[in-house]
Amino acid sequence: MEKLNIQRLKRTLEYLESKQRELKNQKENDTRSLESMIKYLKKDMMEQFKLADHVLLSMKQEIKNTETFIVIVKNIIDANS
């Protein structure tokens, strides 16, 4: 992965993490819009950065769990930095 792509991936991951924290802080408020945004962002990251090419196991299940997805993306960044 190019250095420029790694920097973009890091910024995108930081944004995803901020939205995940925001979702956790919402507690019992209506969180559907945040959940939708996070779901779209993860899907976009998978496609835009071709993350499936960098992981041996299937990310289909992992992409559903945002915390696990974040850890996997951090590992990809570390491996390509």
Side-chain angles (χ1 to χ4, degrees):
M1 199 179 278
E2 294 178 17
K3 183 133 181 112
L4 177 62
N5 283 346
I6 289 293
Q7 294 302 330
R8 283 183 45 226
L9 180 57
K10 283 181 182 179
R11 285 193 303 273
T12 306
L13 179 61
E14 288 169 0
Y15 182 73
L16 174 62
E17 288 174 312
S18 73
K19 291 302 168 190
Q20 181 69 7
R21 283 190 301 273
E22 191 177 327
L23 179 64
K24 285 181 179 180
N25 291 335
Q26 288 288 323
K27 306 246 189 248
E28 297 189 19
N29 295 337
D30 186 11
T31 58
R32 286 177 294 193
S33 61
L34 265 176
E35 290 169 345
S36 294
M37 179 188 299
I38 288 171
K39 182 179 177 181
Y40 172 79
L41 183 57
K42 291 188 295 186
K43 183 177 181 226
D44 186 56
M45 288 172 73
M46 288 292 295
E47 293 171 2
Q48 184 178 22
F49 297 103
K50 297 176 177 47
L51 296 181
D53 294 348
H54 298 276
V55 179
L56 297 176
L57 57 122
S58 169
M59 288 188 67
K60 199 166 195 98
Q61 190 63 31
E62 285 80 2
I63 198 170
K64 292 179 183 178
N65 181 312
T66 302
E67 297 297 328
T68 304
F69 181 80
I70 289 171
V71 169
I72 289 170
V73 174
K74 283 182 178 179
N75 290 339
I76 291 170
I77 291 170
D78 289 344
N80 288 279
S81 292

